[in-house]
Amino acid sequence: MSIASSSRAGDRGDGRLAAVFLAPAFLGFAAFLLWPTLRGVYLSFTRFNLLTPAEWVGLDNYVRMVNDPIFWESLRVTLVYVVLNIGVQTVSALAIAVLLQRLTRSPWLRGIVLTPYLMSNVVAGIVWLWILDTQLGIGNEIIAALGLDRVPFLTDETWAVPTIALINVWRHVGYTALLLFAGLQAIPGDMYEAARVDGASEWRMFRRITLPLLRPVLAVVLIMTVIGSFQIFDTVAVTTAGGPAGATNVLQFYIYGAAFGRFQFGYASAMSVALLVVLSAITFLQYRLTRAGRTDLG
């Protein structure tokens, strides 16, 4: 047998082996992501309530969505949450990552930073609901002990969305920081040494070396956190249930209410498709504007 024939046979064998290993992941993707997505797109053009067969209504659900003031208010609330969550989480995570790199690389400290992420959103929401309770929460007990007025963190329209945003920042910031910390490890240390020789301050090195070279990793982290922030649901469900007075009625919670509260699965699917389109557009713009696929490292 020639060397070329043996090589082709080996390639076919490797291809079959790769297909065997990829098959479970592909089946899971098709069953739990691709098919539900296609089914949801179809249902968005129907009137469906589980009790009767789906009835084709064309664009009626989308017309209703455009004229639905609650949908637009939910989208506004979601955007406010996303801006607060992304802004605070990104700045905090970047600061933690830089401190981990510059001061210590202890795996124990990294484990402590990651600890809140190991807790589910539901558990984190319940814990903070107890801590921030206006009458009995230890957080408000401390505030009262300092002689200040108790703060209705989750029962006031002004405080509710920022509080939920900070709860999720607390849970996710460690994971985000470790992703950025991993990106910092790829920056050559001799660049910092050369900058120190030239008399550059820590702040100048951060602006001129760290941020530019960390850009691809930071861009990917931003894309991931934006997508996750738009999907906020469980923290709202266990803390405020969309209240007070709809102040935390984020889009995912409104979709859930339409589907499983009022059994309007067609309309809920239309809003889900709209959210998918919005996230796809935002992700594309982020990827292009941040040049996530390029690096400044030579």
Side-chain angles (χ1 to χ4, degrees), residues 106-128:
S106 168
W108 290 101
L109 186 57
R110 276 178 267 166
I112 293 173
V113 168
L114 188 62
T115 300
Y117 186 74
L118 303 179
M119 185 184 303
S120 73
N121 279 334
V122 172
V123 173
I126 293 174
V127 168
W128 281 101

PDB file of all heavy atoms in Angstrom, residues 106-128:
ATOM      1  N   SER A 106      -2.080  33.542  44.016  1.00  0.00           N
ATOM      2  CA  SER A 106      -2.455  32.424  44.872  1.00  0.00           C
ATOM      3  C   SER A 106      -3.708  31.730  44.345  1.00  0.00           C
ATOM      4  O   SER A 106      -4.741  32.380  44.141  1.00  0.00           O
ATOM      5  CB  SER A 106      -2.715  32.914  46.297  1.00  0.00           C
ATOM      6  OG  SER A 106      -3.340  31.905  47.067  1.00  0.00           O
ATOM      7  N   PRO A 107      -3.652  30.414  44.111  1.00  0.00           N
ATOM      8  CA  PRO A 107      -4.856  29.701  43.662  1.00  0.00           C
ATOM      9  C   PRO A 107      -5.962  29.712  44.715  1.00  0.00           C
ATOM     10  O   PRO A 107      -7.144  29.647  44.366  1.00  0.00           O
ATOM     11  CB  PRO A 107      -4.350  28.284  43.396  1.00  0.00           C
ATOM     12  CG  PRO A 107      -3.088  28.160  44.183  1.00  0.00           C
ATOM     13  CD  PRO A 107      -2.491  29.517  44.225  1.00  0.00           C
ATOM     14  N   TRP A 108      -5.584  29.814  45.987  1.00  0.00           N
ATOM     15  CA  TRP A 108      -6.592  29.881  47.046  1.00  0.00           C
ATOM     16  C   TRP A 108      -7.398  31.166  46.932  1.00  0.00           C
ATOM     17  O   TRP A 108      -8.622  31.152  47.091  1.00  0.00           O
ATOM     18  CB  TRP A 108      -5.921  29.802  48.424  1.00  0.00           C
ATOM     19  CG  TRP A 108      -5.343  28.461  48.716  1.00  0.00           C
ATOM     20  CD1 TRP A 108      -4.035  28.088  48.637  1.00  0.00           C
ATOM     21  CD2 TRP A 108      -6.063  27.284  49.106  1.00  0.00           C
ATOM     22  NE1 TRP A 108      -3.880  26.762  48.963  1.00  0.00           N
ATOM     23  CE2 TRP A 108      -5.116  26.234  49.260  1.00  0.00           C
ATOM     24  CE3 TRP A 108      -7.407  27.011  49.350  1.00  0.00           C
ATOM     25  CZ2 TRP A 108      -5.469  24.960  49.644  1.00  0.00           C
ATOM     26  CZ3 TRP A 108      -7.768  25.733  49.733  1.00  0.00           C
ATOM     27  CH2 TRP A 108      -6.807  24.717  49.873  1.00  0.00           C
ATOM     28  N   LEU A 109      -6.739  32.260  46.667  1.00  0.00           N
ATOM     29  CA  LEU A 109      -7.432  33.531  46.527  1.00  0.00           C
ATOM     30  C   LEU A 109      -8.338  33.521  45.298  1.00  0.00           C
ATOM     31  O   LEU A 109      -9.460  34.036  45.338  1.00  0.00           O
ATOM     32  CB  LEU A 109      -6.419  34.670  46.433  1.00  0.00           C
ATOM     33  CG  LEU A 109      -6.997  36.093  46.433  1.00  0.00           C
ATOM     34  CD1 LEU A 109      -7.846  36.317  47.673  1.00  0.00           C
ATOM     35  CD2 LEU A 109      -5.882  37.123  46.352  1.00  0.00           C
ATOM     36  N   ARG A 110      -7.854  32.915  44.227  1.00  0.00           N
ATOM     37  CA  ARG A 110      -8.700  32.802  43.040  1.00  0.00           C
ATOM     38  C   ARG A 110      -9.929  31.951  43.329  1.00  0.00           C
ATOM     39  O   ARG A 110     -11.025  32.227  42.831  1.00  0.00           O
ATOM     40  CB  ARG A 110      -7.899  32.185  41.887  1.00  0.00           C
ATOM     41  CG  ARG A 110      -7.078  33.204  41.113  1.00  0.00           C
ATOM     42  CD  ARG A 110      -6.279  32.527  40.027  1.00  0.00           C
ATOM     43  NE  ARG A 110      -4.940  32.187  40.500  1.00  0.00           N
ATOM     44  CZ  ARG A 110      -4.114  31.368  39.866  1.00  0.00           C
ATOM     45  NH1 ARG A 110      -4.507  30.776  38.755  1.00  0.00           N
ATOM     46  NH2 ARG A 110      -2.927  31.118  40.350  1.00  0.00           N
ATOM     47  N   GLY A 111      -9.762  30.902  44.118  1.00  0.00           N
ATOM     48  CA  GLY A 111     -10.910  30.078  44.492  1.00  0.00           C
ATOM     49  C   GLY A 111     -11.933  30.854  45.305  1.00  0.00           C
ATOM     50  O   GLY A 111     -13.144  30.707  45.109  1.00  0.00           O
ATOM     51  N   ILE A 112     -11.429  31.711  46.231  1.00  0.00           N
ATOM     52  CA  ILE A 112     -12.336  32.533  47.037  1.00  0.00           C
ATOM     53  C   ILE A 112     -13.102  33.514  46.155  1.00  0.00           C
ATOM     54  O   ILE A 112     -14.304  33.727  46.331  1.00  0.00           O
ATOM     55  CB  ILE A 112     -11.534  33.279  48.129  1.00  0.00           C
ATOM     56  CG1 ILE A 112     -10.974  32.271  49.136  1.00  0.00           C
ATOM     57  CG2 ILE A 112     -12.416  34.317  48.832  1.00  0.00           C
ATOM     58  CD1 ILE A 112     -10.026  32.899  50.139  1.00  0.00           C
ATOM     59  N   VAL A 113     -12.407  34.116  45.193  1.00  0.00           N
ATOM     60  CA  VAL A 113     -13.051  35.061  44.281  1.00  0.00           C
ATOM     61  C   VAL A 113     -14.163  34.383  43.487  1.00  0.00           C
ATOM     62  O   VAL A 113     -15.211  34.975  43.208  1.00  0.00           O
ATOM     63  CB  VAL A 113     -12.001  35.686  43.335  1.00  0.00           C
ATOM     64  CG1 VAL A 113     -12.672  36.448  42.201  1.00  0.00           C
ATOM     65  CG2 VAL A 113     -11.071  36.606  44.114  1.00  0.00           C
ATOM     66  N   LEU A 114     -13.959  33.127  43.127  1.00  0.00           N
ATOM     67  CA  LEU A 114     -14.924  32.398  42.301  1.00  0.00           C
ATOM     68  C   LEU A 114     -16.094  31.838  43.110  1.00  0.00           C
ATOM     69  O   LEU A 114     -17.113  31.467  42.529  1.00  0.00           O
ATOM     70  CB  LEU A 114     -14.207  31.256  41.567  1.00  0.00           C
ATOM     71  CG  LEU A 114     -14.991  30.491  40.501  1.00  0.00           C
ATOM     72  CD1 LEU A 114     -15.398  31.425  39.364  1.00  0.00           C
ATOM     73  CD2 LEU A 114     -14.170  29.328  39.971  1.00  0.00           C
ATOM     74  N   THR A 115     -15.982  31.812  44.437  1.00  0.00           N
ATOM     75  CA  THR A 115     -16.984  31.147  45.271  1.00  0.00           C
ATOM     76  C   THR A 115     -18.428  31.583  45.003  1.00  0.00           C
ATOM     77  O   THR A 115     -19.313  30.723  44.872  1.00  0.00           O
ATOM     78  CB  THR A 115     -16.646  31.342  46.766  1.00  0.00           C
ATOM     79  OG1 THR A 115     -15.357  30.787  47.023  1.00  0.00           O
ATOM     80  CG2 THR A 115     -17.677  30.651  47.643  1.00  0.00           C
ATOM     81  N   PRO A 116     -18.750  32.875  44.913  1.00  0.00           N
ATOM     82  CA  PRO A 116     -20.157  33.249  44.669  1.00  0.00           C
ATOM     83  C   PRO A 116     -20.727  32.676  43.377  1.00  0.00           C
ATOM     84  O   PRO A 116     -21.925  32.395  43.295  1.00  0.00           O
ATOM     85  CB  PRO A 116     -20.107  34.784  44.612  1.00  0.00           C
ATOM     86  CG  PRO A 116     -18.897  35.152  45.394  1.00  0.00           C
ATOM     87  CD  PRO A 116     -17.908  34.068  45.121  1.00  0.00           C
ATOM     88  N   TYR A 117     -19.865  32.465  42.368  1.00  0.00           N
ATOM     89  CA  TYR A 117     -20.345  31.939  41.089  1.00  0.00           C
ATOM     90  C   TYR A 117     -20.804  30.492  41.212  1.00  0.00           C
ATOM     91  O   TYR A 117     -21.607  30.022  40.392  1.00  0.00           O
ATOM     92  CB  TYR A 117     -19.250  32.058  40.035  1.00  0.00           C
ATOM     93  CG  TYR A 117     -19.693  31.667  38.649  1.00  0.00           C
ATOM     94  CD1 TYR A 117     -20.516  32.505  37.912  1.00  0.00           C
ATOM     95  CD2 TYR A 117     -19.281  30.469  38.078  1.00  0.00           C
ATOM     96  CE1 TYR A 117     -20.935  32.154  36.640  1.00  0.00           C
ATOM     97  CE2 TYR A 117     -19.693  30.105  36.806  1.00  0.00           C
ATOM     98  CZ  TYR A 117     -20.528  30.959  36.091  1.00  0.00           C
ATOM     99  OH  TYR A 117     -20.940  30.602  34.830  1.00  0.00           O
ATOM    100  N   LEU A 118     -20.318  29.788  42.222  1.00  0.00           N
ATOM    101  CA  LEU A 118     -20.703  28.395  42.418  1.00  0.00           C
ATOM    102  C   LEU A 118     -22.121  28.275  42.973  1.00  0.00           C
ATOM    103  O   LEU A 118     -22.683  27.184  43.016  1.00  0.00           O
ATOM    104  CB  LEU A 118     -19.714  27.702  43.358  1.00  0.00           C
ATOM    105  CG  LEU A 118     -18.246  27.745  42.919  1.00  0.00           C
ATOM    106  CD1 LEU A 118     -17.375  27.049  43.951  1.00  0.00           C
ATOM    107  CD2 LEU A 118     -18.071  27.113  41.545  1.00  0.00           C
ATOM    108  N   MET A 119     -22.695  29.383  43.395  1.00  0.00           N
ATOM    109  CA  MET A 119     -24.051  29.416  43.915  1.00  0.00           C
ATOM    110  C   MET A 119     -25.019  29.709  42.775  1.00  0.00           C
ATOM    111  O   MET A 119     -24.738  30.533  41.906  1.00  0.00           O
ATOM    112  CB  MET A 119     -24.151  30.509  44.996  1.00  0.00           C
ATOM    113  CG  MET A 119     -25.468  30.599  45.721  1.00  0.00           C
ATOM    114  SD  MET A 119     -25.471  32.010  46.883  1.00  0.00           S
ATOM    115  CE  MET A 119     -24.058  31.616  47.910  1.00  0.00           C
ATOM    116  N   SER A 120     -26.160  29.038  42.750  1.00  0.00           N
ATOM    117  CA  SER A 120     -27.141  29.292  41.686  1.00  0.00           C
ATOM    118  C   SER A 120     -27.765  30.670  41.865  1.00  0.00           C
ATOM    119  O   SER A 120     -27.769  31.240  42.960  1.00  0.00           O
ATOM    120  CB  SER A 120     -28.234  28.220  41.704  1.00  0.00           C
ATOM    121  OG  SER A 120     -29.093  28.407  42.814  1.00  0.00           O
ATOM    122  N   ASN A 121     -28.308  31.211  40.772  1.00  0.00           N
ATOM    123  CA  ASN A 121     -28.961  32.514  40.828  1.00  0.00           C
ATOM    124  C   ASN A 121     -30.132  32.512  41.803  1.00  0.00           C
ATOM    125  O   ASN A 121     -30.382  33.506  42.493  1.00  0.00           O
ATOM    126  CB  ASN A 121     -29.449  32.919  39.438  1.00  0.00           C
ATOM    127  CG  ASN A 121     -28.339  33.498  38.585  1.00  0.00           C
ATOM    128  OD1 ASN A 121     -27.367  34.037  39.090  1.00  0.00           O
ATOM    129  ND2 ASN A 121     -28.474  33.374  37.277  1.00  0.00           N
ATOM    130  N   VAL A 122     -30.861  31.399  41.851  1.00  0.00           N
ATOM    131  CA  VAL A 122     -32.022  31.321  42.749  1.00  0.00           C
ATOM    132  C   VAL A 122     -31.577  31.404  44.205  1.00  0.00           C
ATOM    133  O   VAL A 122     -32.142  32.165  45.005  1.00  0.00           O
ATOM    134  CB  VAL A 122     -32.815  30.026  42.489  1.00  0.00           C
ATOM    135  CG1 VAL A 122     -33.901  29.835  43.544  1.00  0.00           C
ATOM    136  CG2 VAL A 122     -33.440  30.050  41.098  1.00  0.00           C
ATOM    137  N   VAL A 123     -30.565  30.626  44.566  1.00  0.00           N
ATOM    138  CA  VAL A 123     -30.064  30.650  45.940  1.00  0.00           C
ATOM    139  C   VAL A 123     -29.502  32.024  46.285  1.00  0.00           C
ATOM    140  O   VAL A 123     -29.762  32.571  47.370  1.00  0.00           O
ATOM    141  CB  VAL A 123     -29.001  29.555  46.142  1.00  0.00           C
ATOM    142  CG1 VAL A 123     -28.364  29.681  47.519  1.00  0.00           C
ATOM    143  CG2 VAL A 123     -29.613  28.176  45.960  1.00  0.00           C
ATOM    144  N   ALA A 124     -28.739  32.600  45.366  1.00  0.00           N
ATOM    145  CA  ALA A 124     -28.183  33.938  45.606  1.00  0.00           C
ATOM    146  C   ALA A 124     -29.303  34.956  45.795  1.00  0.00           C
ATOM    147  O   ALA A 124     -29.230  35.811  46.696  1.00  0.00           O
ATOM    148  CB  ALA A 124     -27.288  34.348  44.439  1.00  0.00           C
ATOM    149  N   GLY A 125     -30.353  34.859  44.975  1.00  0.00           N
ATOM    150  CA  GLY A 125     -31.467  35.786  45.109  1.00  0.00           C
ATOM    151  C   GLY A 125     -32.165  35.654  46.447  1.00  0.00           C
ATOM    152  O   GLY A 125     -32.497  36.655  47.096  1.00  0.00           O
ATOM    153  N   ILE A 126     -32.395  34.419  46.898  1.00  0.00           N
ATOM    154  CA  ILE A 126     -33.070  34.195  48.180  1.00  0.00           C
ATOM    155  C   ILE A 126     -32.212  34.703  49.341  1.00  0.00           C
ATOM    156  O   ILE A 126     -32.715  35.342  50.275  1.00  0.00           O
ATOM    157  CB  ILE A 126     -33.392  32.703  48.351  1.00  0.00           C
ATOM    158  CG1 ILE A 126     -34.457  32.271  47.328  1.00  0.00           C
ATOM    159  CG2 ILE A 126     -33.880  32.413  49.767  1.00  0.00           C
ATOM    160  CD1 ILE A 126     -34.742  30.790  47.322  1.00  0.00           C
ATOM    161  N   VAL A 127     -30.906  34.425  49.288  1.00  0.00           N
ATOM    162  CA  VAL A 127     -30.009  34.876  50.356  1.00  0.00           C
ATOM    163  C   VAL A 127     -30.035  36.398  50.465  1.00  0.00           C
ATOM    164  O   VAL A 127     -30.167  36.965  51.565  1.00  0.00           O
ATOM    165  CB  VAL A 127     -28.580  34.366  50.108  1.00  0.00           C
ATOM    166  CG1 VAL A 127     -27.594  35.067  51.041  1.00  0.00           C
ATOM    167  CG2 VAL A 127     -28.507  32.860  50.294  1.00  0.00           C
ATOM    168  N   TRP A 128     -29.927  37.081  49.325  1.00  0.00           N
ATOM    169  CA  TRP A 128     -29.927  38.539  49.363  1.00  0.00           C
ATOM    170  C   TRP A 128     -31.301  39.100  49.683  1.00  0.00           C
ATOM    171  O   TRP A 128     -31.416  40.196  50.249  1.00  0.00           O
ATOM    172  CB  TRP A 128     -29.411  39.103  48.043  1.00  0.00           C
ATOM    173  CG  TRP A 128     -27.916  39.051  47.966  1.00  0.00           C
ATOM    174  CD1 TRP A 128     -27.148  38.150  47.298  1.00  0.00           C
ATOM    175  CD2 TRP A 128     -27.003  39.928  48.626  1.00  0.00           C
ATOM    176  NE1 TRP A 128     -25.816  38.408  47.483  1.00  0.00           N
ATOM    177  CE2 TRP A 128     -25.693  39.507  48.295  1.00  0.00           C
ATOM    178  CE3 TRP A 128     -27.156  41.042  49.448  1.00  0.00           C
ATOM    179  CZ2 TRP A 128     -24.563  40.145  48.766  1.00  0.00           C
ATOM    180  CZ3 TRP A 128     -26.025  41.688  49.924  1.00  0.00           C
ATOM    181  CH2 TRP A 128     -24.748  41.244  49.586  1.00  0.00           C
TER     182      TRP A 128
END
